[in-house]
Amino acid sequence: MNKKTVFMVVCLSFITTIAVYSAMMYLFPGSADYEKQGFVHAKDFGAVPGDEKDDGASIQEAVDYSAEHNIGTVKVTGGERYRMESEVVIKQGVEIEFGRKTVVEVVGDFTVFTLEKNASIINGVIEIPDASFKSSVITLDGKEQFWSWETTQIHGLTLINTSGENSGTGINVTADQTNEYVSFVDFASLTIVGFNRGIHLKAVPSDEDPNFVNGNRFTNVTLEDCVECIVMEGAVTVPNEVSGNQFTNMQIQPTDKTESIMIVSGTNNYFQGMIWDIQLLSNNQPIELKDQSNGNTIMTNLNASYIRDNGVNNTYE
């Protein structure tokens, strides 16, 4: 075999190898070296921005692959628009990272994102243009038993209901079965606009081990045009305690659709921030401390006349 023939055989072999490798990448996106690069992209699993088709299943597939292979991050980035018609469960150890200009359009009525413990979601805009939406955008379920050593975080999101119906809930945190709890989770730099309830924390009584939603931190949160901005349902202590949650550097902008700024149960919760344009409200006491409230602190620009206090030992400035 002469040198020219050997060269042609080598070239043909190389081209064939590249062709086979490219086909494998197309047919089996998981065969890419995701472990080395440290993330997967939802596009590799079939998410196509702007095609008006459901990308929820593709995002879920990317999450599942990332969880199974301990990769950690799923990216859905770029100044593009994705469509979701089905729920995505963010599995343990997985973070979904949206681009700051990435928009997820939600069509239908379902919980959009449910986080397991050690899961996170950051950045992006989640838009609800569908008037049928009555569910929650972000849900943390106490069955996961979120605790201080978990790495769960919700950062940098804009949640906006543009349907004009002020329906659904922005963030829903619930402990409603025996021995469920959500504690020490960080929520930061969030904007929540146009929902029936902006933030809802709830603990339900149990006949066995207690349920609680305690010690969570909400920092730099903006709430606008919500019917009920913050709702906390529970008791001063077990079996359904909602206590020690902190809301700092809040900015709350009511509209004529807003009925309440805060409805508070529980013990030693802390609220600090600015409340704008109170003259838009028909309710002259938009902050309510329920009979199951004790030792809560409210520091806003509103004086005591705007607060209906049915609890004990609550303070406000």
Side-chain angles (χ1 to χ4, degrees):
M1 186 180 293
N2 59 37
K3 291 182 179 180
K4 184 176 180 180
T5 303
V6 170
F7 178 75
M8 290 179 65
V9 169
V10 170
C11 289
L12 182 61
S13 176
F14 178 76
I15 292 170
T16 302
T17 300
I18 293 298
V20 170
Y21 179 79
S22 298
M24 290 291 288
M25 294 302 98
Y26 179 79
L27 294 172
F28 305 104
S31 60
D33 193 9
Y34 293 132
E35 291 84 352
K36 185 174 181 179
Q37 70 184 17
F39 67 88
V40 301
H41 201 290
K43 286 182 179 179
D44 296 336
F45 292 81
V48 179
D51 68 349
E52 299 300 317
K53 295 181 180 179
D54 179 27
D55 297 307
S58 296
I59 295 172
Q60 184 67 70
E61 186 177 348
V63 167
D64 293 346
Y65 183 90
S66 184
E68 182 180 352
H69 294 84
N70 298 313
I71 294 169
T73 300
V74 173
K75 292 192 176 186
V76 190
T77 53
E80 297 172 311
R81 192 176 189 90
Y82 293 83
R83 181 184 179 103
M84 281 183 58
E85 299 177 5
S86 54
E87 177 184 11
V88 169
V89 178
I90 308 178
K91 301 293 183 65
Q92 289 192 38
V94 176
E95 176 178 86
I96 291 186
E97 177 188 343
F98 292 101
R100 291 186 179 276
K101 294 184 179 180
T102 305
V103 177
V104 175
E105 178 184 355
V106 177
V107 179
D109 181 23
F110 54 91
T111 298
V112 184
F113 291 101
T114 297
L115 275 70
E116 295 184 352
K117 63 183 177 183
N118 287 320
S120 297
I121 180 169
I122 64 172
N123 299 333
V125 178
I126 304 174
E127 180 183 352
I128 313 293
D130 192 334
S132 72
F133 184 82
K134 301 293 189 296
S135 301
S136 302
V137 181
I138 306 290
T139 290
L140 275 68
D141 191 326
K143 69 182 181 182
E144 289 294 314
Q145 298 183 326
F146 298 89
W147 196 245
S148 60
W149 50 75
E150 317 296 351
T151 59
T152 309
Q153 296 184 355
I154 298 91
H155 284 189
L157 291 166
T158 295
L159 315 179
I160 180 168
N161 187 327
T162 58
S163 71
E165 294 297 318
N166 292 85
S167 58
T169 299
I171 293 177
N172 184 42
V173 180
T174 304
D176 59 3
Q177 301 293 328
T178 184
N179 196 30
E180 291 192 353
Y181 48 87
V182 181
S183 291
F184 311 120
V185 177
D186 286 335
F187 302 79
S189 300
L190 305 176
T191 299
I192 302 171
V193 181
F195 291 91
N196 181 56
R197 286 180 171 172
I199 298 172
H200 186 199
L201 310 185
K202 182 177 181 179
V204 176
S206 170
D207 293 333
E208 299 178 32
D209 293 325
N211 301 319
F212 52 91
V213 178
N214 292 347
N216 300 289
R217 290 173 289 265
F218 294 81
T219 307
N220 300 332
V221 174
T222 298
L223 291 153
E224 180 179 352
D225 189 33
C226 294
V227 178
E228 298 174 338
C229 296
I230 299 171
V231 178
M232 304 176 69
E233 291 186 72
V236 295
T237 186
V238 293
N240 57 317
E241 184 177 18
V242 182
S243 296
N245 300 287
Q246 299 177 345
F247 293 76
T248 56
N249 294 334
M250 293 188 301
Q251 296 285 342
I252 298 179
Q253 175 63 66
T255 66
D256 56 4
K257 294 181 180 179
T258 303
E259 296 176 1
S260 69
I261 301 297
M262 302 175 200
I263 301 173
V264 179
S265 298
T267 303
N268 295 330
N269 297 292
Y270 179 84
F271 305 87
Q272 176 268 322
M274 182 74 183
I275 301 170
W276 297 90
D277 296 324
I278 201 70
Q279 75 278 2
L280 297 175
L281 298 174
S282 58
N283 181 0
N284 59 11
Q285 289 187 309
I287 297 175
E288 181 181 2
L289 295 158
K290 305 291 282 187
D291 59 357
Q292 285 294 309
S293 67
N294 182 6
N296 298 285
T297 300
I298 298 175
M299 300 182 66
T300 71
N301 54 305
L302 302 187
N303 63 40
S305 67
Y306 291 96
I307 300 172
R308 182 162 68 253
D309 187 357
N310 295 315
V312 297
N313 301 319
N314 297 306
T315 60
Y316 18 90
E317 301 180 10

